[in-house]
Amino acid sequence: MKTFFDLDTWQEIYGVLRKNVTRTIITMIGVMWGIFILVALLATAKGFENRFNKNIGDLATNSVFVWGQSTGMAFHGFQEGRPMRLKHSDAQIVEKNVQGIDFVVPRNQNRQVVLRKFLDGTYNVSGDYPVLDKVSKKKLMYGRFINDNDIKHSKKIAVISQDVYEDLFEEDEYPIGQLIEISEINYTVVGVFERSNIQMGPGDAIHIPFTTFQKVFNQGNNIGWMVITGKPESNISQIESDVKLQLKNLHDVHPDDSQAFGSFNLGERFKEVTGFLTGMQFLTVFVGLATLVAGIFAIGNILLITVKERTKEIGIRRALGAKPWEIKAQIIMESVVLSLFAGILGIIGAGMVIFALNSISDGPNAVLLNSSVEIYIILLALLTLVVLGTLIGLIPANRAIRIKPIEALRDE
């Protein structure tokens, strides 16, 4: 009685597959291609997801940006087209009265020429509070971010971006404690942060204390926009509506006026992107599995042909005492071996492609980042191959055991 571990069993499988090498290879290509597509697409989807998460970083995604525009409706004696300018007090009232808010960050920004020694550049200079670092975490290369003491004393300090550092400083020069000139006022550099593809509003190049910004640029109580972050369990869309309604009440704007205040709901955009990524992963799995199943069916069809060609051989084995389950097990093992071996080759090919993708997808502007597939997914794919190979092998196996020895021996 032959078993899975008998050398004779494997020699017989090898002999069967070797009889028609071309047909065996063509049969395996379908499965190889299926698992190659599955693994390669999953790795690509993971690369997109990793790049997206890298770009998002520590950004509070449950956020909305709100700024003033112009009214679109007359109200309480005010004419249509009245400009709206947000106040610092608006941010305080919104934070106090709107439910579900975690942080409200008032912000201001001007574009200024920045000088250092004989070098200069034009950059966005933002007036900010320390809480901004909780909403959009800065990855510091040197030093620190703005702190409460800087705000309290309106200190003339600056936290600059990597781009500003590379433009105005020598390579490897230590920037902390150095002076830069903004609007004819010297600021001490206290921190340098890495460049990022995600910004909390217009691109940030230099951060100075909010109170310093208000005094230097004579902003008084005015702010450019506010960043509002909801608590994890809060509905950011509802917060957006409530904030706008609160601002309309504060500035005597008609409740139905949709033009007075502009907004950008980062939370909704984030959900759209994550939904797209999830959909892409499902589509990837569907396409890969469909291709894999098609390859497995090809193996079943080829084995049916093989069984027909081996009718006489099977009849002789039956006549010599081979039991039906032994014949059945032999056919199923051939199907599993074909499926598994083809799957391993497909995974190796996909691994080479993933390695190549990671080699060429390098740098901050690359579309993919660290394309990879979890090992458990690879093992699950191989297990799926074994299961499908067993099931598809049952079809030719059942046909083989229905062959009667006498009829098989008469077969020409």
Side-chain angles (χ1 to χ4, degrees), residues 47-64:
F48 278 118
E49 183 181 353
N50 289 340
R51 173 56 64 189
F52 176 70
N53 291 334
K54 173 73 173 177
N55 289 343
I56 288 293
D58 295 320
L59 177 65
T61 54
N62 200 33
S63 301
V64 61

PDB file of all heavy atoms in Angstrom, residues 47-64:
ATOM      1  N   GLY A  47       1.998  49.067  -0.695  1.00  0.00           N
ATOM      2  CA  GLY A  47       2.919  50.167  -0.950  1.00  0.00           C
ATOM      3  C   GLY A  47       2.208  51.505  -1.011  1.00  0.00           C
ATOM      4  O   GLY A  47       2.682  52.506  -0.465  1.00  0.00           O
ATOM      5  N   PHE A  48       1.032  51.534  -1.686  1.00  0.00           N
ATOM      6  CA  PHE A  48       0.220  52.752  -1.721  1.00  0.00           C
ATOM      7  C   PHE A  48      -0.218  53.146  -0.307  1.00  0.00           C
ATOM      8  O   PHE A  48      -0.155  54.322   0.070  1.00  0.00           O
ATOM      9  CB  PHE A  48      -1.024  52.544  -2.591  1.00  0.00           C
ATOM     10  CG  PHE A  48      -0.782  52.701  -4.068  1.00  0.00           C
ATOM     11  CD1 PHE A  48      -0.992  51.649  -4.943  1.00  0.00           C
ATOM     12  CD2 PHE A  48      -0.353  53.918  -4.589  1.00  0.00           C
ATOM     13  CE1 PHE A  48      -0.775  51.795  -6.299  1.00  0.00           C
ATOM     14  CE2 PHE A  48      -0.129  54.072  -5.949  1.00  0.00           C
ATOM     15  CZ  PHE A  48      -0.339  53.005  -6.806  1.00  0.00           C
ATOM     16  N   GLU A  49      -0.672  52.161   0.455  1.00  0.00           N
ATOM     17  CA  GLU A  49      -1.144  52.430   1.814  1.00  0.00           C
ATOM     18  C   GLU A  49      -0.022  52.954   2.696  1.00  0.00           C
ATOM     19  O   GLU A  49      -0.202  53.913   3.459  1.00  0.00           O
ATOM     20  CB  GLU A  49      -1.725  51.150   2.405  1.00  0.00           C
ATOM     21  CG  GLU A  49      -2.309  51.334   3.801  1.00  0.00           C
ATOM     22  CD  GLU A  49      -2.857  50.044   4.385  1.00  0.00           C
ATOM     23  OE1 GLU A  49      -2.903  49.030   3.651  1.00  0.00           O
ATOM     24  OE2 GLU A  49      -3.232  50.035   5.570  1.00  0.00           O
ATOM     25  N   ASN A  50       1.169  52.340   2.588  1.00  0.00           N
ATOM     26  CA  ASN A  50       2.310  52.792   3.391  1.00  0.00           C
ATOM     27  C   ASN A  50       2.710  54.221   3.041  1.00  0.00           C
ATOM     28  O   ASN A  50       3.046  55.018   3.925  1.00  0.00           O
ATOM     29  CB  ASN A  50       3.507  51.860   3.184  1.00  0.00           C
ATOM     30  CG  ASN A  50       3.313  50.506   3.826  1.00  0.00           C
ATOM     31  OD1 ASN A  50       2.481  50.355   4.718  1.00  0.00           O
ATOM     32  ND2 ASN A  50       4.054  49.518   3.377  1.00  0.00           N
ATOM     33  N   ARG A  51       2.689  54.549   1.744  1.00  0.00           N
ATOM     34  CA  ARG A  51       3.040  55.918   1.330  1.00  0.00           C
ATOM     35  C   ARG A  51       2.023  56.911   1.865  1.00  0.00           C
ATOM     36  O   ARG A  51       2.386  57.985   2.347  1.00  0.00           O
ATOM     37  CB  ARG A  51       3.135  55.989  -0.196  1.00  0.00           C
ATOM     38  CG  ARG A  51       3.325  57.404  -0.763  1.00  0.00           C
ATOM     39  CD  ARG A  51       4.541  58.091  -0.172  1.00  0.00           C
ATOM     40  NE  ARG A  51       5.770  57.408  -0.538  1.00  0.00           N
ATOM     41  CZ  ARG A  51       6.953  57.687  -0.014  1.00  0.00           C
ATOM     42  NH1 ARG A  51       7.046  58.635   0.931  1.00  0.00           N
ATOM     43  NH2 ARG A  51       8.030  57.032  -0.391  1.00  0.00           N
ATOM     44  N   PHE A  52       0.748  56.545   1.783  1.00  0.00           N
ATOM     45  CA  PHE A  52      -0.306  57.431   2.291  1.00  0.00           C
ATOM     46  C   PHE A  52      -0.141  57.652   3.794  1.00  0.00           C
ATOM     47  O   PHE A  52      -0.200  58.781   4.277  1.00  0.00           O
ATOM     48  CB  PHE A  52      -1.676  56.829   1.989  1.00  0.00           C
ATOM     49  CG  PHE A  52      -2.831  57.613   2.554  1.00  0.00           C
ATOM     50  CD1 PHE A  52      -3.173  58.846   2.032  1.00  0.00           C
ATOM     51  CD2 PHE A  52      -3.575  57.112   3.618  1.00  0.00           C
ATOM     52  CE1 PHE A  52      -4.231  59.572   2.548  1.00  0.00           C
ATOM     53  CE2 PHE A  52      -4.634  57.821   4.144  1.00  0.00           C
ATOM     54  CZ  PHE A  52      -4.963  59.063   3.604  1.00  0.00           C
ATOM     55  N   ASN A  53       0.082  56.563   4.543  1.00  0.00           N
ATOM     56  CA  ASN A  53       0.257  56.682   5.992  1.00  0.00           C
ATOM     57  C   ASN A  53       1.508  57.469   6.341  1.00  0.00           C
ATOM     58  O   ASN A  53       1.532  58.207   7.330  1.00  0.00           O
ATOM     59  CB  ASN A  53       0.317  55.289   6.634  1.00  0.00           C
ATOM     60  CG  ASN A  53      -1.014  54.571   6.583  1.00  0.00           C
ATOM     61  OD1 ASN A  53      -2.061  55.206   6.520  1.00  0.00           O
ATOM     62  ND2 ASN A  53      -1.005  53.250   6.599  1.00  0.00           N
ATOM     63  N   LYS A  54       2.552  57.308   5.527  1.00  0.00           N
ATOM     64  CA  LYS A  54       3.789  58.071   5.745  1.00  0.00           C
ATOM     65  C   LYS A  54       3.536  59.558   5.542  1.00  0.00           C
ATOM     66  O   LYS A  54       4.016  60.401   6.315  1.00  0.00           O
ATOM     67  CB  LYS A  54       4.867  57.579   4.778  1.00  0.00           C
ATOM     68  CG  LYS A  54       6.156  58.395   4.773  1.00  0.00           C
ATOM     69  CD  LYS A  54       6.981  58.170   6.006  1.00  0.00           C
ATOM     70  CE  LYS A  54       8.332  58.868   5.878  1.00  0.00           C
ATOM     71  NZ  LYS A  54       9.151  58.721   7.101  1.00  0.00           N
ATOM     72  N   ASN A  55       2.797  59.887   4.494  1.00  0.00           N
ATOM     73  CA  ASN A  55       2.493  61.297   4.227  1.00  0.00           C
ATOM     74  C   ASN A  55       1.600  61.894   5.312  1.00  0.00           C
ATOM     75  O   ASN A  55       1.792  63.044   5.716  1.00  0.00           O
ATOM     76  CB  ASN A  55       1.808  61.446   2.863  1.00  0.00           C
ATOM     77  CG  ASN A  55       2.759  61.202   1.708  1.00  0.00           C
ATOM     78  OD1 ASN A  55       3.980  61.228   1.879  1.00  0.00           O
ATOM     79  ND2 ASN A  55       2.225  60.958   0.536  1.00  0.00           N
ATOM     80  N   ILE A  56       0.637  61.115   5.781  1.00  0.00           N
ATOM     81  CA  ILE A  56      -0.247  61.592   6.840  1.00  0.00           C
ATOM     82  C   ILE A  56       0.513  61.770   8.140  1.00  0.00           C
ATOM     83  O   ILE A  56       0.340  62.742   8.869  1.00  0.00           O
ATOM     84  CB  ILE A  56      -1.422  60.609   7.042  1.00  0.00           C
ATOM     85  CG1 ILE A  56      -2.397  60.723   5.857  1.00  0.00           C
ATOM     86  CG2 ILE A  56      -2.162  60.886   8.334  1.00  0.00           C
ATOM     87  CD1 ILE A  56      -3.126  62.036   5.765  1.00  0.00           C
ATOM     88  N   GLY A  57       1.432  60.803   8.427  1.00  0.00           N
ATOM     89  CA  GLY A  57       2.229  60.886   9.647  1.00  0.00           C
ATOM     90  C   GLY A  57       1.364  60.944  10.896  1.00  0.00           C
ATOM     91  O   GLY A  57       0.432  60.172  11.065  1.00  0.00           O
ATOM     92  N   ASP A  58       1.675  61.915  11.756  1.00  0.00           N
ATOM     93  CA  ASP A  58       0.928  62.085  13.009  1.00  0.00           C
ATOM     94  C   ASP A  58      -0.158  63.154  12.890  1.00  0.00           C
ATOM     95  O   ASP A  58      -0.598  63.715  13.887  1.00  0.00           O
ATOM     96  CB  ASP A  58       1.893  62.452  14.148  1.00  0.00           C
ATOM     97  CG  ASP A  58       2.871  61.335  14.453  1.00  0.00           C
ATOM     98  OD1 ASP A  58       2.433  60.173  14.428  1.00  0.00           O
ATOM     99  OD2 ASP A  58       4.052  61.609  14.698  1.00  0.00           O
ATOM    100  N   LEU A  59      -0.575  63.440  11.672  1.00  0.00           N
ATOM    101  CA  LEU A  59      -1.612  64.443  11.456  1.00  0.00           C
ATOM    102  C   LEU A  59      -2.944  63.976  12.034  1.00  0.00           C
ATOM    103  O   LEU A  59      -3.344  62.825  11.857  1.00  0.00           O
ATOM    104  CB  LEU A  59      -1.757  64.697   9.957  1.00  0.00           C
ATOM    105  CG  LEU A  59      -2.840  65.672   9.498  1.00  0.00           C
ATOM    106  CD1 LEU A  59      -2.543  67.075  10.000  1.00  0.00           C
ATOM    107  CD2 LEU A  59      -2.931  65.676   7.985  1.00  0.00           C
ATOM    108  N   ALA A  60      -3.609  64.872  12.763  1.00  0.00           N
ATOM    109  CA  ALA A  60      -4.940  64.563  13.300  1.00  0.00           C
ATOM    110  C   ALA A  60      -5.934  64.606  12.138  1.00  0.00           C
ATOM    111  O   ALA A  60      -6.319  65.681  11.674  1.00  0.00           O
ATOM    112  CB  ALA A  60      -5.318  65.566  14.378  1.00  0.00           C
ATOM    113  N   THR A  61      -6.338  63.441  11.669  1.00  0.00           N
ATOM    114  CA  THR A  61      -7.166  63.380  10.459  1.00  0.00           C
ATOM    115  C   THR A  61      -8.614  63.776  10.706  1.00  0.00           C
ATOM    116  O   THR A  61      -9.323  64.130   9.760  1.00  0.00           O
ATOM    117  CB  THR A  61      -7.126  61.951   9.871  1.00  0.00           C
ATOM    118  OG1 THR A  61      -7.494  61.014  10.885  1.00  0.00           O
ATOM    119  CG2 THR A  61      -5.723  61.611   9.393  1.00  0.00           C
ATOM    120  N   ASN A  62      -9.064  63.730  11.953  1.00  0.00           N
ATOM    121  CA  ASN A  62     -10.446  64.117  12.268  1.00  0.00           C
ATOM    122  C   ASN A  62     -10.518  65.633  12.455  1.00  0.00           C
ATOM    123  O   ASN A  62     -10.891  66.139  13.508  1.00  0.00           O
ATOM    124  CB  ASN A  62     -10.909  63.395  13.538  1.00  0.00           C
ATOM    125  CG  ASN A  62     -12.418  63.357  13.660  1.00  0.00           C
ATOM    126  OD1 ASN A  62     -13.128  63.283  12.665  1.00  0.00           O
ATOM    127  ND2 ASN A  62     -12.917  63.416  14.883  1.00  0.00           N
ATOM    128  N   SER A  63     -10.127  66.367  11.398  1.00  0.00           N
ATOM    129  CA  SER A  63      -9.986  67.823  11.488  1.00  0.00           C
ATOM    130  C   SER A  63     -10.726  68.527  10.358  1.00  0.00           C
ATOM    131  O   SER A  63     -11.015  67.936   9.317  1.00  0.00           O
ATOM    132  CB  SER A  63      -8.499  68.217  11.430  1.00  0.00           C
ATOM    133  OG  SER A  63      -7.768  67.630  12.477  1.00  0.00           O
ATOM    134  N   VAL A  64     -11.003  69.806  10.591  1.00  0.00           N
ATOM    135  CA  VAL A  64     -11.615  70.654   9.573  1.00  0.00           C
ATOM    136  C   VAL A  64     -10.971  72.033   9.647  1.00  0.00           C
ATOM    137  O   VAL A  64     -10.635  72.517  10.730  1.00  0.00           O
ATOM    138  CB  VAL A  64     -13.154  70.749   9.761  1.00  0.00           C
ATOM    139  CG1 VAL A  64     -13.507  71.365  11.096  1.00  0.00           C
ATOM    140  CG2 VAL A  64     -13.807  71.522   8.618  1.00  0.00           C
TER     141      VAL A  64
END
